[in-house]
Amino acid sequence: MLQLSFEYPPRPRLHRRSLLYELAESLVLMIMIYALVDMASVRFYVDGPSMEPTLFSDQRVIVSRVHYFLPEPQRGQIAVFQSPDRPGVDPPLIKRIVGLPGETVTLSSGQILINGHPLNEPYVNGPCNAGRCPDREWVLGETEYFLVGDNRNRSRDSRSFGPVDRSMLVGEAVFRYWPPNDLAFLSSFRYPAEAFE
């Protein structure tokens, strides 16, 4: 009886690296990942009542820089930006985008109008008093945005320092992570892009 036998070539042995090399490689990888995440996002500490009832003082949020790399900022987003009247002096501010480039923003009897249409703002913390919301109008340039706090009576925003250029925007606030019982994606606090009454 004929028997066939096959001989397989010896399997190559895996080259085992030293434990020290593996640890160093893992550490470098962790630093690279952290650096990429840090470049794409920042952590922001909410200081003051200007965004109540959406955000309260001492809460912390993650701000995505990536959201404003290519896509244009949208109405209703909560944005972090450099103060245009004191750049580099004051800490960044956090407010809501209500006016987009090329639009006319009018403040009339405490109500915001966009190109003559009243804006539906269910997130606002009560009516704005006449002293904080005097009737006024702004025509936004091609790269300008109008940002205001949800707590209109206690917010320093575009009503006082005017429109904000896109170059001053740091990013969109996307996630509230502190305190732990207030965890929330902030996209749920937006409203439709053309939410006019």
Short mmCIF file of all heavy atoms in Angstrom, two decimals, residues 44-62 78 94-96 123-126 149-151 154 173 175-179 181-184 186 189:
data_model
loop_
_atom_site.label_atom_id
_atom_site.label_comp_id
_atom_site.label_asym_id
_atom_site.label_seq_id
_atom_site.Cartn_x
_atom_site.Cartn_y
_atom_site.Cartn_z
N PHE A 44 -14.46 72.93 28.42
CA PHE A 44 -14.84 74.30 28.75
C PHE A 44 -15.61 74.31 30.06
O PHE A 44 -16.49 73.49 30.29
CB PHE A 44 -15.70 74.89 27.64
CG PHE A 44 -16.09 76.33 27.87
CD1 PHE A 44 -15.22 77.36 27.55
CD2 PHE A 44 -17.33 76.65 28.41
CE1 PHE A 44 -15.57 78.68 27.76
CE2 PHE A 44 -17.69 77.96 28.63
CZ PHE A 44 -16.81 78.99 28.30
N TYR A 45 -15.25 75.26 30.92
CA TYR A 45 -15.87 75.43 32.23
C TYR A 45 -16.88 76.56 32.14
O TYR A 45 -16.54 77.68 31.77
CB TYR A 45 -14.77 75.73 33.25
CG TYR A 45 -15.25 76.05 34.63
CD1 TYR A 45 -15.61 75.04 35.51
CD2 TYR A 45 -15.32 77.37 35.08
CE1 TYR A 45 -16.03 75.33 36.79
CE2 TYR A 45 -15.74 77.67 36.36
CZ TYR A 45 -16.10 76.64 37.21
OH TYR A 45 -16.53 76.93 38.48
N VAL A 46 -18.14 76.27 32.44
CA VAL A 46 -19.19 77.29 32.38
C VAL A 46 -19.09 78.17 33.63
O VAL A 46 -19.12 77.66 34.75
CB VAL A 46 -20.60 76.65 32.29
CG1 VAL A 46 -21.68 77.72 32.27
CG2 VAL A 46 -20.70 75.75 31.06
N ASP A 47 -18.96 79.46 33.40
CA ASP A 47 -18.81 80.39 34.52
C ASP A 47 -19.85 81.49 34.38
O ASP A 47 -19.75 82.35 33.51
CB ASP A 47 -17.39 80.98 34.52
CG ASP A 47 -17.15 81.89 35.71
OD1 ASP A 47 -17.86 81.75 36.72
OD2 ASP A 47 -16.24 82.74 35.61
N GLY A 48 -20.86 81.46 35.22
CA GLY A 48 -21.89 82.50 35.19
C GLY A 48 -23.23 81.98 34.71
O GLY A 48 -23.35 80.87 34.19
N PRO A 49 -24.27 82.82 34.85
CA PRO A 49 -25.65 82.40 34.57
C PRO A 49 -26.15 82.69 33.15
O PRO A 49 -27.33 82.52 32.88
CB PRO A 49 -26.44 83.22 35.59
CG PRO A 49 -25.68 84.51 35.67
CD PRO A 49 -24.23 84.15 35.49
N SER A 50 -25.28 83.12 32.24
CA SER A 50 -25.76 83.64 30.95
C SER A 50 -26.46 82.60 30.08
O SER A 50 -27.22 82.97 29.19
CB SER A 50 -24.61 84.27 30.17
OG SER A 50 -23.72 83.27 29.69
N MET A 51 -26.20 81.30 30.29
CA MET A 51 -26.83 80.28 29.44
C MET A 51 -27.92 79.49 30.18
O MET A 51 -28.38 78.46 29.69
CB MET A 51 -25.77 79.33 28.89
CG MET A 51 -25.00 79.90 27.71
SD MET A 51 -26.04 80.33 26.30
CE MET A 51 -26.55 78.70 25.74
N GLU A 52 -28.32 79.95 31.35
CA GLU A 52 -29.42 79.27 32.05
C GLU A 52 -30.71 79.44 31.26
O GLU A 52 -30.91 80.49 30.67
CB GLU A 52 -29.58 79.87 33.46
CG GLU A 52 -28.43 79.55 34.38
CD GLU A 52 -28.57 80.21 35.75
OE1 GLU A 52 -29.62 80.85 36.00
OE2 GLU A 52 -27.64 80.12 36.56
N PRO A 53 -31.58 78.45 31.19
CA PRO A 53 -31.57 77.18 31.92
C PRO A 53 -30.89 76.03 31.18
O PRO A 53 -30.94 74.90 31.64
CB PRO A 53 -33.06 76.89 32.07
CG PRO A 53 -33.65 77.40 30.80
CD PRO A 53 -32.84 78.63 30.45
N THR A 54 -30.22 76.30 30.06
CA THR A 54 -29.55 75.23 29.31
C THR A 54 -28.28 74.77 30.00
O THR A 54 -28.04 73.57 30.14
CB THR A 54 -29.24 75.70 27.87
OG1 THR A 54 -30.44 76.20 27.28
CG2 THR A 54 -28.71 74.57 27.03
N LEU A 55 -27.45 75.72 30.40
CA LEU A 55 -26.19 75.43 31.09
C LEU A 55 -26.10 76.29 32.35
O LEU A 55 -26.49 77.46 32.32
CB LEU A 55 -25.00 75.72 30.19
CG LEU A 55 -24.87 74.89 28.92
CD1 LEU A 55 -23.78 75.45 28.01
CD2 LEU A 55 -24.57 73.44 29.25
N PHE A 56 -25.57 75.69 33.41
CA PHE A 56 -25.44 76.41 34.68
C PHE A 56 -23.97 76.56 35.04
O PHE A 56 -23.11 75.80 34.60
CB PHE A 56 -26.18 75.66 35.79
CG PHE A 56 -27.68 75.72 35.64
CD1 PHE A 56 -28.35 74.81 34.82
CD2 PHE A 56 -28.42 76.69 36.31
CE1 PHE A 56 -29.72 74.88 34.66
CE2 PHE A 56 -29.80 76.75 36.15
CZ PHE A 56 -30.45 75.85 35.33
N SER A 57 -23.69 77.55 35.86
CA SER A 57 -22.33 77.81 36.32
C SER A 57 -21.76 76.56 36.98
O SER A 57 -22.48 75.81 37.64
CB SER A 57 -22.34 78.96 37.33
OG SER A 57 -21.05 79.49 37.49
N ASP A 58 -20.49 76.31 36.77
CA ASP A 58 -19.72 75.18 37.29
C ASP A 58 -19.91 73.88 36.50
O ASP A 58 -19.28 72.88 36.83
CB ASP A 58 -20.00 74.91 38.78
CG ASP A 58 -19.64 76.09 39.65
OD1 ASP A 58 -18.68 76.82 39.29
OD2 ASP A 58 -20.29 76.31 40.68
N GLN A 59 -20.77 73.88 35.50
CA GLN A 59 -20.86 72.71 34.63
C GLN A 59 -19.68 72.73 33.66
O GLN A 59 -19.10 73.78 33.39
CB GLN A 59 -22.18 72.68 33.87
CG GLN A 59 -23.38 72.42 34.77
CD GLN A 59 -24.68 72.35 34.00
OE1 GLN A 59 -24.85 72.97 32.96
NE2 GLN A 59 -25.63 71.58 34.53
N ARG A 60 -19.35 71.55 33.14
CA ARG A 60 -18.25 71.45 32.19
C ARG A 60 -18.75 70.79 30.90
O ARG A 60 -19.53 69.84 30.96
CB ARG A 60 -17.09 70.65 32.79
CG ARG A 60 -16.39 71.40 33.91
CD ARG A 60 -15.39 70.53 34.64
NE ARG A 60 -14.61 71.28 35.61
CZ ARG A 60 -15.01 71.57 36.84
NH1 ARG A 60 -16.21 71.18 37.24
NH2 ARG A 60 -14.24 72.24 37.66
N VAL A 61 -18.26 71.30 29.78
CA VAL A 61 -18.69 70.77 28.48
C VAL A 61 -17.48 70.48 27.60
O VAL A 61 -16.41 71.05 27.79
CB VAL A 61 -19.65 71.75 27.75
CG1 VAL A 61 -20.92 71.97 28.55
CG2 VAL A 61 -18.97 73.07 27.46
N ILE A 62 -17.69 69.57 26.65
CA ILE A 62 -16.67 69.29 25.64
C ILE A 62 -17.03 70.09 24.39
O ILE A 62 -18.18 70.07 23.94
CB ILE A 62 -16.59 67.79 25.32
CG1 ILE A 62 -16.04 67.03 26.54
CG2 ILE A 62 -15.72 67.53 24.10
CD1 ILE A 62 -16.03 65.53 26.40
N ILE A 78 -24.80 75.86 20.22
CA ILE A 78 -24.16 76.54 21.33
C ILE A 78 -22.67 76.57 21.02
O ILE A 78 -22.05 75.52 20.84
CB ILE A 78 -24.45 75.82 22.66
CG1 ILE A 78 -25.96 75.83 22.93
CG2 ILE A 78 -23.70 76.48 23.80
CD1 ILE A 78 -26.39 74.95 24.08
N ILE A 94 -19.46 81.44 26.06
CA ILE A 94 -20.32 80.40 25.50
C ILE A 94 -21.72 80.99 25.34
O ILE A 94 -22.31 81.48 26.30
CB ILE A 94 -20.31 79.12 26.36
CG1 ILE A 94 -21.11 78.00 25.70
CG2 ILE A 94 -20.79 79.39 27.79
CD1 ILE A 94 -20.87 76.63 26.30
N LYS A 95 -22.23 80.98 24.11
CA LYS A 95 -23.54 81.55 23.79
C LYS A 95 -24.19 80.74 22.67
O LYS A 95 -23.57 79.86 22.09
CB LYS A 95 -23.42 83.02 23.34
CG LYS A 95 -22.59 83.92 24.22
CD LYS A 95 -23.19 84.21 25.57
CE LYS A 95 -22.26 85.06 26.41
NZ LYS A 95 -22.68 85.14 27.79
N ARG A 96 -25.41 81.12 22.34
CA ARG A 96 -26.14 80.43 21.27
C ARG A 96 -26.12 81.27 19.99
O ARG A 96 -26.31 82.48 20.02
CB ARG A 96 -27.59 80.19 21.70
CG ARG A 96 -28.37 79.29 20.75
CD ARG A 96 -29.80 79.12 21.22
NE ARG A 96 -29.90 78.45 22.50
CZ ARG A 96 -29.93 77.12 22.69
NH1 ARG A 96 -29.85 76.33 21.64
NH2 ARG A 96 -30.04 76.61 23.89
N TYR A 123 -36.04 78.07 24.46
CA TYR A 123 -34.99 77.86 25.47
C TYR A 123 -34.72 79.10 26.31
O TYR A 123 -33.97 79.05 27.28
CB TYR A 123 -33.68 77.45 24.76
CG TYR A 123 -33.40 78.32 23.56
CD1 TYR A 123 -32.88 79.60 23.71
CD2 TYR A 123 -33.71 77.87 22.28
CE1 TYR A 123 -32.66 80.42 22.62
CE2 TYR A 123 -33.49 78.68 21.19
CZ TYR A 123 -32.97 79.96 21.36
OH TYR A 123 -32.76 80.76 20.28
N VAL A 124 -35.27 80.26 25.94
CA VAL A 124 -34.97 81.52 26.63
C VAL A 124 -35.51 81.50 28.05
O VAL A 124 -36.62 81.05 28.31
CB VAL A 124 -35.52 82.72 25.84
CG1 VAL A 124 -35.41 84.01 26.65
CG2 VAL A 124 -34.78 82.88 24.53
N ASN A 125 -34.69 82.03 28.97
CA ASN A 125 -35.03 82.07 30.39
C ASN A 125 -35.84 83.33 30.71
O ASN A 125 -35.33 84.27 31.30
CB ASN A 125 -33.74 82.02 31.23
CG ASN A 125 -34.03 81.90 32.72
OD1 ASN A 125 -35.16 81.75 33.13
ND2 ASN A 125 -32.98 81.98 33.50
N GLY A 126 -37.09 83.35 30.31
CA GLY A 126 -37.98 84.48 30.62
C GLY A 126 -37.83 85.65 29.67
O GLY A 126 -36.85 85.76 28.94
N GLY A 149 -26.89 84.90 24.91
CA GLY A 149 -27.12 83.93 25.97
C GLY A 149 -28.60 83.59 26.09
O GLY A 149 -29.46 84.40 25.73
N ASP A 150 -28.90 82.41 26.59
CA ASP A 150 -30.30 82.02 26.79
C ASP A 150 -30.94 82.82 27.93
O ASP A 150 -32.15 83.00 27.96
CB ASP A 150 -30.38 80.52 27.11
CG ASP A 150 -30.05 79.66 25.90
OD1 ASP A 150 -29.84 80.21 24.80
OD2 ASP A 150 -29.99 78.42 26.05
N ASN A 151 -30.12 83.28 28.86
CA ASN A 151 -30.60 84.10 29.97
C ASN A 151 -30.36 85.57 29.60
O ASN A 151 -29.38 86.18 29.99
CB ASN A 151 -29.86 83.73 31.26
CG ASN A 151 -30.44 84.40 32.48
OD1 ASN A 151 -31.37 85.19 32.40
ND2 ASN A 151 -29.88 84.08 33.63
N ARG A 154 -29.14 88.39 31.90
CA ARG A 154 -27.86 88.27 32.61
C ARG A 154 -26.77 87.75 31.68
O ARG A 154 -26.05 86.82 32.02
CB ARG A 154 -28.03 87.36 33.83
CG ARG A 154 -29.06 87.89 34.81
CD ARG A 154 -29.07 87.13 36.09
NE ARG A 154 -27.83 87.32 36.83
CZ ARG A 154 -27.50 86.59 37.90
NH1 ARG A 154 -28.30 85.65 38.34
NH2 ARG A 154 -26.37 86.81 38.53
N ALA A 173 -20.16 73.50 21.36
CA ALA A 173 -20.30 72.74 22.60
C ALA A 173 -21.19 71.54 22.29
O ALA A 173 -22.34 71.70 21.87
CB ALA A 173 -20.92 73.61 23.69
N PHE A 175 -21.12 68.26 24.31
CA PHE A 175 -21.44 67.30 25.37
C PHE A 175 -21.19 67.90 26.75
O PHE A 175 -20.13 68.48 26.99
CB PHE A 175 -20.59 66.03 25.20
CG PHE A 175 -20.94 64.91 26.15
CD1 PHE A 175 -22.14 64.25 26.05
CD2 PHE A 175 -20.07 64.56 27.17
CE1 PHE A 175 -22.47 63.22 26.92
CE2 PHE A 175 -20.38 63.54 28.05
CZ PHE A 175 -21.59 62.86 27.92
N ARG A 176 -22.18 67.78 27.63
CA ARG A 176 -22.02 68.22 29.02
C ARG A 176 -21.65 67.00 29.84
O ARG A 176 -22.39 66.03 29.89
CB ARG A 176 -23.34 68.83 29.53
CG ARG A 176 -23.26 69.40 30.92
CD ARG A 176 -24.54 70.11 31.29
NE ARG A 176 -25.68 69.24 31.18
CZ ARG A 176 -26.93 69.64 30.90
NH1 ARG A 176 -27.18 70.91 30.68
NH2 ARG A 176 -27.93 68.78 30.84
N TYR A 177 -20.45 67.04 30.47
CA TYR A 177 -19.96 65.85 31.16
C TYR A 177 -19.80 66.01 32.68
O TYR A 177 -19.52 65.04 33.38
CB TYR A 177 -18.63 65.39 30.56
CG TYR A 177 -17.46 66.32 30.82
CD1 TYR A 177 -16.62 66.14 31.92
CD2 TYR A 177 -17.19 67.38 29.95
CE1 TYR A 177 -15.55 66.98 32.15
CE2 TYR A 177 -16.12 68.22 30.18
CZ TYR A 177 -15.30 68.02 31.28
OH TYR A 177 -14.24 68.85 31.51
N TRP A 178 -19.99 67.23 33.20
CA TRP A 178 -19.87 67.42 34.64
C TRP A 178 -20.89 68.43 35.12
O TRP A 178 -21.10 69.43 34.45
CB TRP A 178 -18.45 67.90 34.98
CG TRP A 178 -18.18 67.87 36.45
CD1 TRP A 178 -18.31 68.90 37.33
CD2 TRP A 178 -17.78 66.73 37.21
NE1 TRP A 178 -18.01 68.48 38.59
CE2 TRP A 178 -17.67 67.15 38.55
CE3 TRP A 178 -17.51 65.40 36.89
CZ2 TRP A 178 -17.29 66.28 39.57
CZ3 TRP A 178 -17.13 64.54 37.90
CH2 TRP A 178 -17.03 64.98 39.22
N PRO A 179 -21.54 68.17 36.22
CA PRO A 179 -21.43 66.98 37.08
C PRO A 179 -22.06 65.75 36.43
O PRO A 179 -22.86 65.89 35.51
CB PRO A 179 -22.19 67.40 38.35
CG PRO A 179 -23.10 68.49 37.92
CD PRO A 179 -22.45 69.20 36.77
N ASN A 181 -24.39 63.71 37.05
CA ASN A 181 -25.85 63.56 36.94
C ASN A 181 -26.45 64.50 35.89
O ASN A 181 -27.64 64.43 35.60
CB ASN A 181 -26.53 63.79 38.30
CG ASN A 181 -26.22 65.15 38.88
OD1 ASN A 181 -25.12 65.66 38.72
ND2 ASN A 181 -27.18 65.73 39.57
N ASP A 182 -25.62 65.38 35.28
CA ASP A 182 -26.10 66.28 34.22
C ASP A 182 -25.58 65.89 32.84
O ASP A 182 -25.60 66.71 31.92
CB ASP A 182 -25.67 67.72 34.53
CG ASP A 182 -26.45 68.32 35.69
OD1 ASP A 182 -27.54 67.83 35.98
OD2 ASP A 182 -25.94 69.29 36.30
N LEU A 183 -25.08 64.67 32.68
CA LEU A 183 -24.57 64.23 31.38
C LEU A 183 -25.62 64.43 30.30
O LEU A 183 -26.77 64.03 30.46
CB LEU A 183 -24.19 62.74 31.42
CG LEU A 183 -22.98 62.33 32.28
CD1 LEU A 183 -22.84 60.82 32.26
CD2 LEU A 183 -21.72 62.99 31.78
N ALA A 184 -25.22 65.04 29.18
CA ALA A 184 -26.17 65.24 28.08
C ALA A 184 -25.44 65.67 26.82
O ALA A 184 -24.46 66.41 26.88
CB ALA A 184 -27.21 66.30 28.45
N LEU A 186 -25.51 68.06 23.84
CA LEU A 186 -26.13 69.38 23.72
C LEU A 186 -26.89 69.56 22.41
O LEU A 186 -27.60 70.55 22.25
CB LEU A 186 -25.07 70.47 23.90
CG LEU A 186 -24.46 70.49 25.31
CD1 LEU A 186 -23.37 71.56 25.40
CD2 LEU A 186 -25.52 70.72 26.37
N PHE A 189 -30.45 70.27 22.74
CA PHE A 189 -30.88 71.59 23.18
C PHE A 189 -30.90 72.58 22.03
O PHE A 189 -31.01 73.78 22.23
CB PHE A 189 -29.97 72.11 24.30
CG PHE A 189 -30.07 71.31 25.56
CD1 PHE A 189 -29.16 70.30 25.83
CD2 PHE A 189 -31.10 71.55 26.46
CE1 PHE A 189 -29.25 69.56 26.99
CE2 PHE A 189 -31.20 70.81 27.63
CZ PHE A 189 -30.28 69.80 27.89
#
